[in-house]
Amino acid sequence: MSLWPWLRALAAAGILAVLAWRLGTDAFVDGLRAIGPGTVLAALGIGLVTTGCSAWRWCVIARGLSLRLPLRTAVADYYRALLLNAVLPAGVLGDVHRAVSHGHRAGDLGGGVRAVVLERCAGQLALLTAGAIVLLTGPAPPLPVGPGLLAAAVVAGLCLLVPRVRRAVARLWRDARLLLTRRALPPVAVSSLATVTGHLGLFLVAARVSGVGAPTTALLPLLVLALLVMALPVNLGGFGPREAFLVIAFAATGLDPAQGLATSVAYGVLSLVAALPGVPVLISRAAGTGGRSGGTAPGVPRTATPAGRRTGSPR
């Protein structure tokens, strides 16, 4: 069994422990106290929009790869994935589960995995684009941000040097070109933009209820970069690097670092609240498949394997 997921979780726990040691536990508690009925409803509403848009994007990409994926099923699977991402180590196991589940239902495991990878890549590309726009048109970010992003880019570049990763990226690029059509590109772009806007809106809610009074124009660059930092594979359900970044960024811009930590904690909890509709989905799917063979979700017809196509990842 690989120790890497546990080492990443341990590193994230270490980051949180250092922050608690330097800033005390009050900032963590303040982030929890800031959440009330109004913020919970806001999180559920924003989560409904972002999850629906993300599921729509996934449907468009899956259909571009000739895989059947009804929108209703995609929304339910996406909620379940968000919940699993939030409560399990590494923060990506929910996406792995929905990729494998969809691949089995569609009769093409490799295609299901590639559809999810492309869907997540589209989301990250939209976030990078939003980040570039905000950073180029808004106030300059704090000085420590640049080296950190450069280091992350270097690590990503080194990963691409691994032959197995290069081959996987090449295959994904061939699939991605199928999506660059007039039929697929607009809905993917619109849904991605709406999703990024929703995440930023939820982050702003977390900042305001945590007592941050800085102008929105000053906060947006920090929040966009915090969302990018969350992509680092060292976290506990998103917690860890995000909190460290906002503490440093708030301090570098003259804001209270404790408020940065409280904002990040509040955002993490609100993100979990937004994923709570995944609980009944998880329970119903577990109950519906308890006595069945295979992984077909209840209410979703089992799709026959297309003629001439093997079940599993194509070579």
Side-chain angles (χ1 to χ4, degrees):
M1 181 178 179
S2 175
L3 293 177
W4 177 235
W6 299 105
L7 291 176
R8 292 186 297 188
L10 183 62
I15 292 173
L16 295 175
V18 170
L19 292 175
W21 171 56
R22 295 299 301 269
L23 297 176
T25 59
D26 289 345
F28 288 93
V29 175
D30 289 342
L32 295 175
R33 286 177 178 170
I35 299 171
T39 52
V40 167
L41 291 176
L44 290 172
I46 294 174
L48 178 62
V49 174
T50 56
T51 304
C53 289
S54 297
W56 177 34
R57 179 176 63 202
W58 183 25
C59 287
V60 173
I61 292 175
R63 291 164 187 167
L65 299 179
S66 300
L67 300 176
R68 182 178 179 272
L69 181 60
L71 180 60
R72 181 179 178 181
T73 302
V75 171
D77 283 358
Y78 218 103
Y79 263 121
R80 179 181 57 183
L82 290 174
L83 179 65
L84 293 176
N85 284 344
V87 300
L88 295 178
V92 296
L93 297 181
D95 290 325
V96 173
H97 186 273
R98 70 181 169 101
V100 173
S101 177
H102 176 224
H104 280 309
R105 289 198 305 266
D108 185 352
L109 179 58
V113 171
R114 293 196 303 276
V116 169
V117 172
L118 285 171
E119 187 270 325
R120 299 306 304 139
C121 287
Q124 291 301 313
L125 181 60
L127 182 57
L128 287 170
T129 302
I133 293 173
V134 170
L135 294 177
L136 291 176
T137 59
L143 194 58
V145 170
L149 291 181
L150 181 60
V154 170
V155 171
L158 290 176
C159 290
L160 294 180
L161 297 179
V162 180
R164 186 175 298 178
V165 175
R166 281 207 313 264
R167 289 194 294 270
V169 171
R171 179 61 186 267
L172 284 173
W173 172 241
R174 289 197 296 270
D175 289 336
R177 286 187 297 180
L178 299 175
L179 305 175
L180 299 178
T181 63
R182 292 181 180 178
R183 183 177 181 180
L185 190 57
V188 169
V190 170
S191 59
S192 298
L193 178 61
T195 300
V196 171
T197 303
H199 289 315
L200 287 175
L202 187 61
F203 229 142
L204 282 172
V205 170
R208 296 310 183 200
V209 298
S210 299
V212 179
T216 301
T217 53
L219 284 176
L220 275 181
L222 306 183
L223 302 184
V224 169
L225 291 174
L227 290 176
L228 289 171
V229 168
M230 288 176 59
L232 295 176
V234 181
N235 61 74
L236 279 170
F239 289 91
R242 178 186 64 218
E243 283 69 32
F245 169 79
L246 279 182
V247 167
I248 296 173
F250 269 51
T253 52
L255 300 174
D256 185 356
Q259 285 189 336
L261 179 55
T263 296
S264 187
V265 171
Y267 175 79
V269 175
L270 290 177
S271 296
L272 177 59
V273 169
L276 287 181
V279 172
V281 175
L282 189 63
I283 293 174
S284 65
R285 294 287 173 85
T289 58
R292 304 181 187 187
S293 60
T296 305
V300 179
R302 184 182 297 272
T303 305
T305 304
R309 177 185 291 178
R310 296 180 179 179
T311 301
S313 177
R315 296 182 180 179

